[in-house]
């Protein structure tokens, strides 16, 4: 996989939506020791101490966390900040909409962009698109050639577990090393191919509707990405793409089942098979786990 040069990191031309201030902020991100900062945060957020209690209370106020949705609503009951951050929700907090033909949101967050995959490219932001093949670490992306995508951004205060949009059997997974730029809206609008630059975990499933991909994109301060079948995938940091093949032995995950989690906020990109009719949702709108993103036609035997 080719790595974009430093000179091309910040989008140029009138197509990019970011202003001068955002471009300067993005340029400053380049010089930060992104992985070192994230490794430090990884250690700090796992310290088991009552000293984390005032930090958790501040975080709840600052980001408007609704603890009434949590399976354990008392912030003091969590042994570390990371346990609080990756908290489970009550079983009835996120009911699933639709039926087995309904593609549901895998996360709480904002729908940054969605639509058809055109000529092997995905929309990142106004004036910026990027290669699906690059996003997948050089893997053959033709299985999604007629499909579509949805990019979902998780803010710090969001619920950070990731769930299955459809019932599917895991076929393979890849870890693609990369940078750890912020994935906040101001960087998405400025940095060319941001999601294909950052470290990410790509999980692929076979469903009755066709191939399904979930790309879990890392970011600065995202100290770890986990899946339910492999545990912690990142860190440690690697320099080469790693791939795990599961063939017929891959686990089957039900629609709405937990498949992974972020330790701090980031982005999930859903790669959907052809034939999906998107629900009427505007880019930038708020979504929650279990809500409808789209519907497959009745002719499918799901």
């Amino acid at each position: 996989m080719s790595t974009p040069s430093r000179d091309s990191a910040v989008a140029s031309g009138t197509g990019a939506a970011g202003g001068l201030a955002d471009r300067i902020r993005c340029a400053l991100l380049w010089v930060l020791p992104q992985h070192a900062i994230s490794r430090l945060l990884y250690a700090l957020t796992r310290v088991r101490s009552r000293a984390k209690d005032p930090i958790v209370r501040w975080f709840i106020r600052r980001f408007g966390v609704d603890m009434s949705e949590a399976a354990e609503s008392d912030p003091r009951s969590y042994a570390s900040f990371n346990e609080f951050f990756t908290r489970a929700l009550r079983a009835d907090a996120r009911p699933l909409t639709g039926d087995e033909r309904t593609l549901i949101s895998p996360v709480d967050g904002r729908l940054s962009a969605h639509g058809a995959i055109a000529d092997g490219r995905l929309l990142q932001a106004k004036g910026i698109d990027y290669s699906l093949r690059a996003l997948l670490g050089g893997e053959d992306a033709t299985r999604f050639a007629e499909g579509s995508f949805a990019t979902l951004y998780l803010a710090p205060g969001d619920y950070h577990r990731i769930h299955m949009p459809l019932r599917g059997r895991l076929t393979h997974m890849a870890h693609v090393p990369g940078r750890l730029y912020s994935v906040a809206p101001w960087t998405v609008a400025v940095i060319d191919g941001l999601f294909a630059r950052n470290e990410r975990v790509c999980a692929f499933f076979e469903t009755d509707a066709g191939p399904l991909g979930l790309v879990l994109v890392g970011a600065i301060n995202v100290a770890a990405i986990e899946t339910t079948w492999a545990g912690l995938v990142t860190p440690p940091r690697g320099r080469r793409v790693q791939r795990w093949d599961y063939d017929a032995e891959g686990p089957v995950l039900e629609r709405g089942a937990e498949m992974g989690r972020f330790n701090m906020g980031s982005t999930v990109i859903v790669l959907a098979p052809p034939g999906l009719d998107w629900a009427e949702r505007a880019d930038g709108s708020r979504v929650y786990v279990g809500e409808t993103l789209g519907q497959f036609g009745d002719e499918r035997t799901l």
Side-chain angles (χ1 to χ4, degrees):
M1 178 181 66
S2 63
T3 302
S5 68
R6 174 174 178 171
D7 292 339
S8 65
V10 178
S12 61
T14 58
L20 178 60
D22 288 342
R23 292 171 182 275
I24 293 172
R25 292 164 76 187
C26 288
L28 292 174
L29 274 176
W30 179 268
V31 301
L32 289 176
Q34 297 168 354
H35 287 87
I37 290 171
S38 296
R39 286 194 297 269
L40 176 61
L41 194 66
Y42 176 89
L44 291 176
T45 56
R46 284 159 177 76
V47 173
R48 302 170 74 87
S49 169
R50 287 295 179 192
K52 64 93 175 65
D53 288 348
I55 299 172
V56 168
R57 290 196 298 270
W58 171 85
F59 190 94
I60 290 170
R61 292 193 305 270
R62 172 65 178 82
F63 295 105
V65 178
D66 183 359
M67 292 302 293
S68 70
E69 297 180 330
E72 176 50 71
S73 60
D74 183 359
R76 296 170 299 178
S77 67
Y78 299 96
S80 67
F81 183 86
N82 188 66
E83 284 189 13
F84 153 74
F85 192 85
T86 58
R87 62 197 174 277
L89 297 185
R90 298 191 328 265
D92 62 347
R94 297 291 184 272
L96 306 186
T97 58
D99 56 24
E100 293 302 310
R101 294 182 174 87
T102 307
L103 183 84
I104 57 174
S105 176
V107 293
D108 288 4
R110 293 200 177 273
L111 183 63
S112 300
H114 73 292
I117 297 171
D119 298 323
R121 302 190 70 81
L122 290 72
L123 178 67
Q124 176 176 306
K126 181 180 179 182
I128 305 177
D129 62 9
Y130 63 101
S131 162
L132 175 59
R133 182 177 174 86
L135 176 70
L136 301 182
E139 176 163 333
D140 179 14
T142 55
R143 75 190 77 182
F144 298 109
E146 303 298 325
S148 52
F149 77 98
T151 303
L152 299 141
Y153 167 67
L154 289 74
D158 285 326
Y159 168 63
H160 276 78
R161 299 193 183 194
I162 306 158
H163 296 255
M164 288 293 291
L166 289 173
R167 182 181 188 271
R169 177 177 60 82
L170 178 71
T171 59
H172 61 290
M173 176 178 74
H175 168 239
V176 186
R179 299 285 293 181
L180 288 175
Y181 287 109
S182 166
V183 291
W186 55 273
T187 51
V188 171
V190 171
I191 299 178
D192 276 328
L194 172 62
F195 302 129
R197 293 175 180 273
N198 275 14
E199 182 176 28
R200 52 211 180 273
V201 173
C202 309
F204 302 92
F205 302 86
E206 279 301 326
T207 77
D208 288 336
L212 173 75
L214 290 174
V215 181
L216 284 52
V217 183
I220 194 165
N221 295 335
V222 179
I225 299 173
E226 300 179 39
T227 66
T228 56
W229 58 86
L232 198 64
V233 182
T234 70
R237 179 188 180 191
R239 293 185 176 274
R240 294 186 178 182
V241 175
Q242 291 183 286
R243 173 173 166 140
W244 296 263
D245 290 298
Y246 297 93
D247 300 319
E249 304 301 318
V252 175
L253 281 74
E254 298 297 327
R255 192 176 74 113
E258 183 183 341
M259 62 78 61
R261 65 184 66 174
F262 285 120
N263 298 267
M264 301 303 282
S266 195
T267 289
V268 172
I269 301 171
V270 180
L271 303 175
L276 181 68
D277 294 325
W278 287 103
E280 292 186 6
R281 288 186 180 274
D283 287 348
S285 62
R286 184 86 173 137
V287 294
Y288 295 90
V289 171
E291 290 187 343
T292 298
L293 290 180
Q295 188 80 17
F296 290 99
D298 291 339
E299 70 275 7
R300 293 179 177 271
T301 55
L302 297 180

